[in-house]
Amino acid sequence: MIVRVLGSAAGGRFPQWNCGCPNCEGVRAGCVPARPRTEESVAVSADGRAWFLLNVSADVRAQVEAFPALHPRGLRHSPIAGVVLTSGDLDHCLGLLVLREWHPLVVYATEPVRRGFTEGNVFYRTLERVPGQVTWRVLKPEEDEELAGPDGRPAGLAVRAVPVPGKPPLHLAGVRGADPADTVALLVRDRSGRTLAYAPGVAAVTDDVRRLVGEADVVFFDGTFWSSDEMPALGLGARRAEDMAHVPMSGPGGSLAALAGLRAAARVYIHINNTNPVLREDSPERRAVEAAGWAVAWDGMELRV
Ligand code: MLT
Ligand code: MN
Ligand code: ZN
């Protein structure tokens, strides 16, 4: 399986348009060693021809142009066979509306994520302009589902959605209660049994989360924040990482400690918030992450699972 990082930042990108934090200012001015990043999304493929996007961000147009394997191979064509969503957060699904040029799309998502996107959303009608434009395939928690594009041809990959601690998308807060399937991690498996665990949003490392990433050959994990008080410490509001349903990397309950000893050959942090000090390639936090065997995803990173 080929895994290509299209975007590696959390919602808002890096730098974020309205952010003057030291990281964002530094990368704008070119005076900190850090790469700009678009919003988190990863493309996976068994054969290098048909690709599935894990989450689809509003940055998808630029992400497609930056990766020739996703360019059309005909007058109207896309190697993107489908999209798999880990949540209904806007940074994970706004790109569906971007991909609206009458193109048939298959979208895999849990039922609360499907409903959250389609119900009462007039913009969604633009994805229903022609019959069969979008086909939803509902992911039942803990069940394997064969990935196939609009033509129904199996892509050689199966996906399993595993509920993880999370939250409903912000725009549904107060509209309905939380559902355990609001946030899932994905286990993507090829025919040889090689497995990618993709978990870009996780509120806490529970035993279930540890088991899930423990079976994978390659792990992508929530790297939003380095520390619980990252935003308050910068003067950016009062909310701690946990209040935003993101387990920080550092600290006693952090993912570095809680996930020490994974068997995965590659461990990669993704969905990095622009405030996170690991974005700076010369920071002590970046050194600590790398010393623990983790990489920090960048746009264009490619791995074989
Ligand atoms: C998150 O990762 O917590 C969300 O993307 C936040 C948001 O929707 O703005
Ligand atoms: Mn997000
Ligand atoms: Zn910033």
Side-chain angles (χ1 to χ4, degrees):
M1 180 184 350
I2 311 166
V3 181
R4 170 84 177 201
V5 175
L6 304 180
S8 49
R13 283 181 164 218
F14 177 52
Q16 179 173 309
W17 66 281
N18 62 345
C19 191
C21 79
N23 276 358
C24 289
E25 279 295 286
V27 78
R28 269 186 207 110
C31 65
V32 300
R35 306 179 191 219
R37 285 165 164 85
T38 60
E39 285 181 346
E40 170 238 317
S41 174
V42 158
V44 297
S45 176
D47 60 7
R49 291 190 64 78
W51 292 83
F52 286 82
L53 306 188
L54 311 184
N55 292 328
V56 58
S57 121
D59 291 326
V60 63
R61 285 180 206 273
Q63 293 171 342
V64 165
E65 293 310 325
F67 184 34
L70 296 183
H71 294 175
R73 295 193 292 264
L75 203 50
R76 274 288 184 272
H77 172 267
S78 173
I80 299 173
V83 172
V84 192
L85 302 177
T86 63
S87 80
D89 288 355
L90 286 183
D91 56 337
H92 286 164
C93 62
L94 261 184
L96 289 177
L97 295 172
V98 176
L99 300 179
R100 68 183 169 276
E101 278 79 20
W102 308 91
H103 197 83
L105 278 179
V106 179
V107 185
Y108 292 82
T110 63
E111 182 59 10
V113 171
R114 186 196 67 79
R115 292 180 58 178
F117 192 83
T118 58
E119 288 185 0
N121 175 6
V122 288
F123 290 168
Y124 177 61
R125 301 180 70 227
T126 200
L127 296 177
E128 290 182 313
R129 293 191 289 212
V130 289
Q133 191 176 342
V134 169
T135 306
W136 290 86
R137 300 209 178 112
V138 172
L139 294 173
K140 296 215 185 75
E142 309 284 358
E143 284 185 24
D144 284 333
E145 176 84 24
E146 195 74 39
L147 291 180
D151 59 6
R153 206 177 312 145
L157 297 172
V159 69
R160 188 191 309 168
V162 180
V164 294
K167 62 167 185 336
L170 295 180
H171 54 277
L172 293 181
V175 175
R176 65 157 170 81
D179 187 297
D182 278 328
T183 309
V184 296
L186 303 172
L187 276 179
V188 186
R189 200 179 304 264
D190 69 12
R191 292 211 171 103
S192 68
R194 305 277 297 165
T195 304
L196 162 73
Y198 192 72
V202 179
V205 182
T206 57
D207 287 345
D208 284 347
V209 168
R210 216 175 280 113
R211 223 177 349 260
L212 162 86
V213 297
E215 18 174 320
D217 299 295
V218 169
V219 171
F220 279 74
F221 200 82
D222 186 337
T224 313
F225 297 114
W226 168 256
S227 56
S228 276
D229 67 346
E230 187 167 309
M231 303 280 284
L234 285 164
L236 295 169
R239 295 193 310 159
R240 302 171 70 79
E242 293 82 355
D243 301 330
M244 293 180 261
H246 294 289
V247 59
M249 297 173 174
S250 68
S255 56
L256 278 174
L259 295 177
L262 284 185
R263 74 167 187 92
R267 284 162 265 166
V268 184
Y269 279 121
I270 196 162
H271 189 274
I272 320 290
N273 198 56
N274 59 77
T275 50
N276 193 322
V278 302
L279 287 169
R280 292 196 303 271
E281 286 152 24
D282 61 352
S283 68
E285 294 86 355
R286 175 64 157 263
R287 269 198 301 282
V289 159
E290 288 174 351
W294 287 81
V296 177
W298 70 89
D299 297 15
M301 178 189 206
E302 196 167 303
L303 295 171
R304 303 265 157 171
V305 178

